[in-house]
Amino acid sequence: SQAATVTGYTAYAAPANVAEAGKVNYTAETFEPNSGYEISKSNEPFVKETLTDGKLTIEPGTTYYIRKAASGDVPASEAIELVIPARPDAPVESAFTQTAESVENKKDGSFGGITEAMEYSINGGEWISGPKTLTDLSNETVKVRYKATTEAFKSEEYSYTFTPSTAKLTVTMGENSVEVAYDSLVSKPADPEKSGYTFGGWYSDEELTQAWNFDADTVTDNKTLYPKWIENAVQKAVITGNVTESD
């Protein structure tokens, strides 16, 4: 900067613009003054802000003042304003679509509408850039915000928490039925009885070709199990002894 004469003493000329004095980084939310410049939240008096690693964390919606710092016998320049915009509003709810989990433990909820201009986080994890449609959801909390740009901070956050389903699947076994969560085992009932027959197990098909394994098979939809009946052998009476013929 060139020097200027100010009421009897020579001071530095004010910066021509913010870019001459330093760099605003809206992603990191910092201002990094160039060598020989200083920044303050007030102009009169100008109170130099303390920097961390050569940078100042800037606050949305705040006006700062930047000037060329005094050096030797040369006084500081007049300050120019650095007007930091407010943080942008969060994305609106209507921008997104949510589908809740349909059955307990199925984890088939979804969240759509995340665009390339946005980023999202699940359950407080890392922020990931869109676009994206999230699937396999049950009880997660999804947060979405607009990314920072060269002229604006990242936005406020929109947050949505999924409520897990309490709906159950129904398994019918003869006259009995039970309700279970998705992908769960079903408890084996007491063997039914039928006069003249022996119970031969439960099957998942009416043709009785697929035996149900209660220790391994899980329920993924409403299910009917069919009993297999094996007819008991009939005991035939045998007559023994002598037969007498009469005249």
Side-chain angles (χ1 to χ4, degrees), residues 124-227:
E126 65 176 322
W127 287 91
I128 302 171
S129 293
K132 183 71 173 180
T133 295
L134 305 177
T135 58
D136 304 323
L137 302 175
S138 173
N139 62 347
E140 290 78 5
T141 294
V142 177
K143 292 184 177 181
V144 186
R145 67 190 181 194
Y146 289 110
K147 301 174 191 176
T149 68
T150 57
E151 299 179 350
F153 294 107
K154 55 183 173 286
S155 74
E156 299 288 352
E157 300 169 3
Y158 170 78
S159 180
Y160 184 87
T161 299
F162 283 84
T163 300
S165 175
T166 57
K168 306 279 189 179
L169 296 173
T170 300
V171 181
T172 302
M173 295 171 283
E175 297 180 354
N176 301 316
S177 63
V178 295
E179 292 186 334
V180 297
Y182 180 86
D183 205 30
S184 296
L185 296 172
V186 60
S187 298
K188 183 179 180 180
D191 290 349
E193 296 180 355
K194 183 177 180 180
S195 178
Y197 291 85
T198 298
F199 176 65
W202 293 101
Y203 287 73
S204 61
D205 61 318
E206 292 186 78
E207 293 76 20
L208 305 179
T209 62
Q210 300 294 324
W212 186 265
N213 186 337
F214 286 90
D215 294 323
D217 291 339
T218 58
V219 181
T220 57
D221 53 17
N222 292 322
K223 177 72 65 177
T224 296
L225 297 182
Y226 302 91

Side-chain angles (χ1 to χ4, degrees), residues 31-208:
F31 177 76
E32 183 176 2
N34 292 331
S35 178
Y37 289 86
E38 55 190 3
I39 185 170
S40 170
K41 281 187 178 180
S42 62
N43 192 19
E44 295 180 1
F46 189 101
V47 181
K48 179 182 176 181
E49 292 287 327
T50 301
L51 307 180
T52 301
D53 295 327
K55 301 174 184 178
L56 175 70
T57 298
I58 52 178
E59 301 172 6
T62 302
T63 297
Y64 295 89
Y65 299 88
I66 310 168
R67 71 183 184 184
K68 180 75 172 178
S71 177
D73 295 332
V74 181
S77 73
E78 294 292 326
I80 63 171
E81 289 187 348
L82 168 59
V83 180
I84 302 298
R87 189 176 299 282
D89 292 337
V92 295
E93 184 173 10
S94 60
F96 306 108
T97 57
Q98 302 94 10
T99 302
E101 182 182 48
S102 61
V103 179
E104 182 181 349
N105 202 42
K106 191 170 184 180
K107 301 184 185 302
D108 59 346
S110 64
F111 186 103
I114 301 172
T115 68
E116 188 174 359
M118 301 174 184
E119 54 190 6
Y120 66 93
S121 171
I122 300 176
N123 291 338
E126 65 176 322
W127 287 91
I128 302 171
S129 293
K132 183 71 173 180
T133 295
L134 305 177
T135 58
D136 304 323
L137 302 175
S138 173
N139 62 347
E140 290 78 5
T141 294
V142 177
K143 292 184 177 181
V144 186
R145 67 190 181 194
Y146 289 110
K147 301 174 191 176
T149 68
T150 57
E151 299 179 350
F153 294 107
K154 55 183 173 286
S155 74
E156 299 288 352
E157 300 169 3
Y158 170 78
S159 180
Y160 184 87
T161 299
F162 283 84
T163 300
S165 175
T166 57
K168 306 279 189 179
L169 296 173
T170 300
V171 181
T172 302
M173 295 171 283
E175 297 180 354
N176 301 316
S177 63
V178 295
E179 292 186 334
V180 297
Y182 180 86
D183 205 30
S184 296
L185 296 172
V186 60
S187 298
K188 183 179 180 180
D191 290 349
E193 296 180 355
K194 183 177 180 180
S195 178
Y197 291 85
T198 298
F199 176 65
W202 293 101
Y203 287 73
S204 61
D205 61 318
E206 292 186 78
E207 293 76 20
L208 305 179

Side-chain angles (χ1 to χ4, degrees), residues 12-25:
Y12 285 112
N17 50 53
V18 171
E20 178 186 321
K23 179 181 179 181
V24 178
N25 185 328

